Amino acid sequence: MPNKADVKAWKAQLVAQAEQQILKLTDSDQFKKYLNTLAKFHRYSARNIDLIYAQNPQATQVAGFKQWQKAFNRTVNRGAKAIRIAAPIIKKLTPAEQKHLDTTDERAIVGYRYLPVFDVAQTSGEPVLSAKDFVKENLADHQNVTSLYNAFKDYLNQQTDLKVSEVPLATLNGAKGYFQPSTNEIVIGGDEPDNALKLKTLYHEYAHSQLHGLKSAFKDRPRAYQETQAEAVAYVAMQNIGVDTSNYSLGYVATWAKDKAVIHSALSEIQQVSNKVIELSDGLTKQLGLQEAQEGPEHDLKMLAAQSLNKSYQSLQQQIQQATSPQQKAQFKNQLNDVHQEISDRTQKQLKAFAEQNPEIKQPESKLDQSLKR
């Protein structure tokens, strides 16, 4: 049985290991792995994102041993090695402790415990799908990417103090767009033929406006630092909606972030703005109806048991692969989307129930509502 000193040393080593992993992010491949992890775990604290990445860079979704069984009907594979994340220990303070800490708060964080969790790849059972899986299929279509671009641009123009306008690419001297702090204006190359790149550029410039505007605490950062941050946010935001811009973004990041210090010092600020952009994009995709199934299912999916729903999903995947005509394949894809959505809805309900049953490890509420009311 390890003593308190051993446990304390192990915890310190765990955090130090996470920091060392981040410091190695100087080549595009490793940076891509970290940003992918950041996109998938954007609701986690920066500390836990680092811990997850340090222990398993390939992780996509984590939960505790019992939670996999109860919430997702999955079991952890024999011999799987746990990932440790930090959870606050909250204690009700006595009057004497309140006086000692000079606070009137009834509760306070008195320390952290390291909880074991497992990645979905370390488990077996029913499929675990998220709402973003369905969104990704829709947003892969350029028409929908354009719709999200227009919706994001309209939101910035109508509900924030930013002004977004478009000019011909020929007037931008080789750039795709820019942010002007003095006028709080974002300018985008309107005739960019690649719609995905156009949306990524808007994310990039929006990140500049949030991190490097006149009122920002980081407005005086060196150019390399600013460009690394902005493109990292854009990459994470595009990755979140299922559009891979790595061929462009990671080369861009590698050009600017040539040393460990730039990446290491920028990561926490990248996460903050990435969270905001992801929340905004998710809200806009819902408003646009990109998360809705295109056609009604042939039967009431809500009445199906989880096992039957899983079999239906697998069967439709096989039918799509075996389809001989585009029309037939499209029909099966629509049916698969319906099944996908039902699984997603059930998963979201399970996650909500889990959060309500475990308030001690629930993540802080998103600030999206506050930002939308600006």
Side-chain angles (χ1 to χ4, degrees), residues 14-290:
L14 197 60
V15 175
Q17 182 184 15
E19 293 177 354
Q20 288 301 313
Q21 288 289 334
I22 296 171
L23 286 173
K24 295 178 182 178
L25 299 176
T26 54
D27 65 272
S28 60
D29 287 336
Q30 284 201 328
F31 198 34
K32 179 178 179 179
K33 289 179 181 178
Y34 180 80
L35 293 178
N36 284 342
T37 304
L38 180 59
K40 294 164 186 170
F41 292 105
H42 67 277
R43 293 185 185 276
Y44 283 80
S45 67
R47 183 181 193 181
N48 278 334
I49 289 173
D50 294 345
L51 288 173
I52 291 167
Y53 174 78
Q55 297 166 82
N56 185 354
Q58 307 303 322
T60 60
Q61 185 173 1
V62 298
F65 187 93
K66 291 183 178 179
Q67 282 69 47
W68 278 122
Q69 292 180 328
K70 295 180 180 180
F72 303 103
N73 199 21
R74 295 179 69 87
T75 56
V76 175
N77 299 332
R78 185 182 298 274
K81 183 179 180 181
I83 301 168
R84 298 281 174 169
I85 61 171
I89 301 172
I90 301 175
K91 178 184 177 182
K92 185 175 182 179
L93 300 177
T94 65
E97 289 171 329
Q98 287 177 315
K99 183 177 180 180
H100 176 72
L101 296 173
D102 191 23
T103 181
T104 58
D105 294 339
E106 294 184 356
R107 297 176 179 274
I109 296 176
V110 296
Y112 288 86
R113 53 180 174 167
Y114 285 78
L115 302 179
V117 295
F118 298 87
D119 180 51
V120 63
Q122 298 173 294
T123 67
S124 304
E126 293 187 4
V128 179
L129 304 173
S130 69
K132 289 186 180 65
D133 289 326
F134 182 78
V135 173
K136 288 177 182 178
E137 291 188 18
N138 279 321
L139 290 175
D141 177 79
H142 267 198
Q143 180 181 352
N144 290 321
V145 171
T146 302
S147 297
L148 182 54
Y149 168 83
N150 289 329
F152 190 34
K153 183 180 68 172
D154 291 344
Y155 165 79
L156 295 178
N157 277 325
Q158 297 168 12
Q159 300 191 48
T160 75
D161 56 358
L162 284 164
K163 173 64 177 177
V164 182
S165 61
E166 295 183 353
V167 298
L169 281 170
T171 66
L172 295 177
N173 298 319
K176 302 293 184 182
Y178 65 86
F179 167 65
Q180 180 56 258
S182 61
T183 59
N184 209 32
E185 180 182 14
I186 292 174
V187 177
I188 303 293
D191 53 344
E192 168 59 53
D194 188 329
N195 294 327
L197 188 56
K198 191 174 178 181
L199 175 60
K200 182 214 67 69
T201 301
L202 182 57
Y203 283 141
H204 179 108
E205 303 308 335
Y206 176 71
H208 274 312
S209 75
Q210 299 303 291
L211 287 167
H212 314 126
L214 293 178
K215 297 180 182 180
S216 171
F218 316 118
K219 64 180 183 299
D220 298 323
R221 298 292 197 200
R223 178 74 186 280
Y225 193 101
Q226 293 186 2
E227 294 303 325
T228 297
Q229 286 187 314
E231 192 62 24
V233 169
Y235 175 77
V236 168
M238 295 298 288
Q239 191 76 13
N240 175 65
I241 62 172
V243 180
D244 186 2
T245 61
S246 58
N247 288 339
Y248 182 95
S249 295
L250 298 183
Y252 189 99
V253 167
T255 299
W256 289 101
K258 295 181 179 179
D259 59 73
K260 297 178 182 179
V262 171
I263 294 178
H264 182 62
S265 58
L267 287 177
S268 64
E269 293 155 26
I270 287 174
Q271 185 205 355
Q272 293 168 19
V273 179
S274 295
N275 290 350
K276 187 174 182 180
V277 174
I278 287 172
E279 295 291 350
L280 283 171
S281 296
D282 287 351
L284 291 171
T285 56
K286 290 179 182 178
Q287 293 177 22
L288 292 169
L290 299 182

Side-chain angles (χ1 to χ4, degrees), residues 357-372:
Q357 294 168 8
N358 298 269
E360 71 278 5
I361 57 173
K362 185 177 180 182
Q363 295 299 316
E365 293 295 326
S366 168
K367 296 182 180 179
L368 173 61
D369 292 340
Q370 297 177 7
S371 64
L372 288 175

